[in-house]
Amino acid sequence: MNITRENVDALNAVVKVDIAKEDYSDKVEKILVDYRKTANIPGFRKGHVPMGMVKKQYGKAVLVDEVNKLLQDALNKYLTEEKLDVLGQPLPKTQDEIDWEADKFSFEFELGLAPEFKVDLKSKKSITQYNIIADKKMIDEQIERVQKQYGKLVSQDAVEKDSEITGAYTNEEKEIDNTVTLTLDKFKGKSTTKQFVGAKAGDVITLKTKGLFDDDHDLMHALKLSHDDVHGLDIEVNFTVTEINKRELADLDQELFDKLFGKDEVTSVTELRAKIKEDAEKQFVQQADQKLLNDVTEHLVENTKFDLPAEFLTKWMQTAGEQEMDADQAREEYEKSEKSLRYQLIEGKLIEENNVQVTMDDIKNHAREMIKGQMAQFGQMNPSDKELDDIAARVLSNQDEARRISEQLISQKLLTVYKEKANLKTKELSYENFVKEVYGDK
């Protein structure tokens, strides 16, 4: 057997594999001898079928199978030994019909080669690293929410601006009849609030669905309809008031602190505010980190310049998926996935250059912590090591889940690299201002 490579250019090559008779003949002969022992052909006793007949019936199929196996093994070994960094998979070049009666065969494969490039994390323009804080306004609002949640309901005769109102939305034509409890701050316009203020149990208020809420999801919940049904919905609905209550705020006392955090974990309003701030800012770190990861990724893809073997990859995509594509479909798919492919190559180089590694112990420990957190949400605060190990083993037996955790850990470790090496500037701001700056004032 002989394998040669011709580099077409820096991103494309052709590998030629020559297979001689001595490479496959012994293997083919052995398989046919085994076939002869078990062949069941009418007119002959088992094991006594003439070898010529066995070769005539099975010879070509066995030869084709063995040559293909030999070809794939040789090609894979060659790519490994030559340390060729290929994209996609080798593509067999179209050739004339193969003469399987010949003693030797030649096959050619197109290769798409990964480009050579450098990744520079020290960009001229700095990337913003957000430090999100829980400001006084947010802490005050959170404390009020807690007081409302643990407060008691006091019945009212008439609706006020801060009332909790129970009633039913109805519309006969659309077969709407849904009982809800609402607060007036959910509505979009002040005119709707005016309609409710002063209403009493038994009163019926007619509302227009168009512009009733800022978000279609609120309308879906109010009317118990699907998203398709509420999209663009412009009808009148009646709301019949059945109950009016005011939520009396819970006292900020030790009883409430113990309900929230456990006995004597928090003993004053000052400690309560500090605890709320600490817990909120822990969650903000995750959002800020995700934003930084997205921004660095975007920067690297936009500013790390290299060519790809686009023609080869487009051709490879035609047959790589579950369903074959025509040339136009493959070209469209390549254009959609090019950015992702570029980042995969950049990420691979960063992983190699910074020795980023994820061990099986890392994955197990991450799974344990993830499970521990989920169990805590359901009140199981102190699971045993055996429980955690058993559940983690079941989770990681799912290869997709294990791969997802591994990818998360790689992202976390790359984030550490970015924080150490990228050109970052820190910007401190409240969560409200972070949302406005990053996502727009919605």
Side-chain angles (χ1 to χ4, degrees):
M1 183 184 298
N2 185 43
I3 302 181
T4 55
R5 180 175 86 247
E6 178 187 349
N7 289 331
V8 178
D9 54 39
L11 298 173
N12 296 274
V14 174
V15 169
K16 184 179 181 183
V17 183
D18 295 318
I19 298 177
K21 186 172 184 178
E22 58 265 24
D23 296 321
Y24 59 82
S25 58
D26 289 349
K27 183 72 174 175
V28 170
E29 192 67 25
K30 183 179 182 306
I31 292 172
L32 290 175
V33 168
D34 291 340
Y35 269 35
R36 187 187 180 208
K37 293 175 184 176
T38 57
N40 192 0
I41 297 177
F44 298 94
R45 284 188 299 135
K46 199 171 185 178
H48 290 77
V49 179
M51 194 61 182
M53 186 174 286
V54 172
K55 286 183 177 181
K56 185 176 181 181
Q57 189 159 348
Y58 301 109
K60 183 178 178 180
V62 171
L63 172 63
V64 171
D65 190 43
E66 286 308 307
V67 167
N68 278 328
K69 285 180 184 176
L70 191 63
L71 182 61
Q72 291 303 320
D73 289 345
L75 189 58
N76 291 335
K77 185 179 178 183
Y78 175 79
L79 296 178
T80 302
E81 289 178 347
E82 293 292 310
K83 297 180 180 177
L84 290 177
D85 192 0
V86 298
L87 301 179
Q89 295 292 331
L91 285 176
K93 291 192 74 172
T94 304
Q95 62 185 98
D96 296 333
E97 188 172 340
I98 299 170
D99 178 11
W100 292 104
E101 300 295 328
D103 288 340
K104 59 183 180 179
F105 309 100
S106 290
F107 302 91
E108 290 186 336
F109 293 85
E110 295 178 63
L111 303 182
L113 305 177
E116 291 290 332
F117 61 93
K118 291 182 179 180
V119 181
D120 184 11
L121 286 171
K122 290 291 183 185
S123 57
K124 291 181 181 178
K125 186 178 179 182
S126 59
I127 299 169
T128 301
Q129 180 180 4
Y130 290 97
N131 179 26
I132 309 169
I133 60 169
D135 59 5
K136 182 179 181 299
K137 180 185 176 186
M138 168 173 270
I139 296 169
D140 288 343
E141 289 173 349
Q142 180 60 23
I143 288 174
E144 186 177 344
R145 277 195 292 272
V146 169
Q147 286 182 280
K148 283 183 177 180
Q149 182 182 346
Y150 287 90
K152 62 180 180 180
L153 288 177
V154 178
S155 180
Q156 292 180 295
D157 293 328
V159 173
E160 297 177 7
K161 283 188 177 181
D162 58 355
S163 297
E164 288 188 13
I165 309 151
T166 300
Y169 289 101
T170 56
N171 177 290
E172 285 188 21
E173 183 185 349
K174 295 289 184 178
E175 297 181 349
I176 296 168
D177 187 355
N178 188 41
T179 300
V180 297
T181 297
L182 56 85
T183 54
L184 297 179
D185 60 333
K186 285 287 186 181
F187 293 116
K188 183 177 181 180
K190 291 181 180 178
S191 60
T192 305
T193 300
K194 288 179 181 178
Q195 284 182 267
F196 274 89
V197 172
K200 297 181 179 180
D203 286 355
V204 178
I205 300 166
T206 301
L207 303 166
K208 289 187 176 180
T209 56
K210 187 177 181 180
L212 190 59
F213 299 100
D214 280 316
D215 193 332
D216 277 351
H217 289 91
D218 289 326
L219 190 60
M220 288 167 57
H221 173 72
L223 307 184
K224 208 173 183 179
L225 295 175
S226 70
H227 187 274
D228 289 341
D229 288 335
V230 301
H231 185 65
L233 186 66
D234 187 7
I235 62 171
E236 288 188 344
V237 292
N238 290 327
F239 185 89
T240 304
V241 179
T242 58
E243 188 178 338
I244 308 163
N245 294 294
K246 183 174 183 178
R247 192 167 288 275
E248 197 173 86
L249 299 183
D251 291 331
L252 295 174
D253 56 17
Q254 194 59 48
E255 182 182 357
L256 178 62
F257 302 155
D258 290 348
K259 283 180 182 176
L260 292 172
F261 303 108
K263 187 164 177 59
D264 295 333
E265 288 293 319
V266 169
T267 59
S268 68
V269 174
T270 301
E271 290 180 11
L272 171 67
R273 297 181 70 85
K275 180 68 173 168
I276 289 173
K277 182 178 176 68
E278 178 189 0
D279 290 348
E281 289 178 355
K282 279 181 183 176
Q283 295 181 31
F284 296 159
V285 167
Q286 295 178 2
Q287 284 185 267
D289 281 352
Q290 187 59 55
K291 172 63 177 166
L292 178 60
L293 194 62
N294 293 345
D295 287 348
V296 175
T297 298
E298 190 72 24
H299 166 79
L300 290 172
V301 171
E302 293 299 324
N303 293 279
T304 306
K305 303 298 183 183
F306 54 83
D307 293 325
L308 290 170
E311 186 177 340
F312 168 84
L313 289 170
T314 302
K315 194 187 299 184
W316 171 68
M317 283 181 174
Q318 286 187 249
T319 56
E322 292 182 3
Q323 294 183 333
E324 288 197 15
M325 305 179 191
D326 61 30
D328 289 337
Q329 289 172 321
R331 196 175 300 110
E332 184 180 342
E333 185 63 27
Y334 172 74
E335 288 171 0
K336 285 193 292 186
S337 60
E338 182 185 0
K339 197 171 183 179
S340 172
L341 177 57
R342 285 181 176 277
Y343 182 66
Q344 287 176 29
L345 292 170
I346 294 167
E347 184 183 63
K349 185 168 280 290
L350 286 168
I351 288 170
E352 181 183 358
E353 290 179 350
N354 294 279
N355 196 28
V356 174
Q357 296 180 348
V358 173
T359 66
M360 196 61 212
D361 282 343
D362 291 333
I363 295 172
K364 285 179 182 176
N365 290 334
H366 184 84
R368 278 170 55 95
E369 289 303 311
M370 179 181 71
I371 293 159
K372 196 173 180 179
Q374 290 172 349
M375 292 176 78
Q377 291 177 4
F378 294 95
Q380 294 175 266
M381 305 304 295
N382 295 300
S384 67
D385 287 341
K386 185 177 186 311
E387 279 183 291
L388 291 173
D389 286 340
D390 289 347
I391 297 172
R394 288 200 296 273
V395 169
L396 297 178
S397 66
N398 182 324
Q399 290 185 349
D400 289 338
E401 187 64 21
R403 182 165 53 252
R404 185 184 68 81
I405 291 173
S406 176
E407 289 170 355
Q408 281 183 348
L409 289 171
I410 287 173
S411 290
Q412 288 176 12
K413 295 193 176 194
L414 281 174
L415 185 63
T416 301
V417 172
Y418 298 157
K419 287 180 178 180
E420 291 173 355
K421 299 185 177 182
N423 182 13
L424 306 179
K425 65 175 180 182
T426 301
K427 184 172 185 177
E428 184 174 283
L429 71 180
S430 69
Y431 181 71
E432 182 179 6
N433 288 333
F434 169 77
V435 171
K436 285 179 182 178
E437 181 165 318
V438 173
Y439 304 108
D441 188 5
K442 296 180 180 179

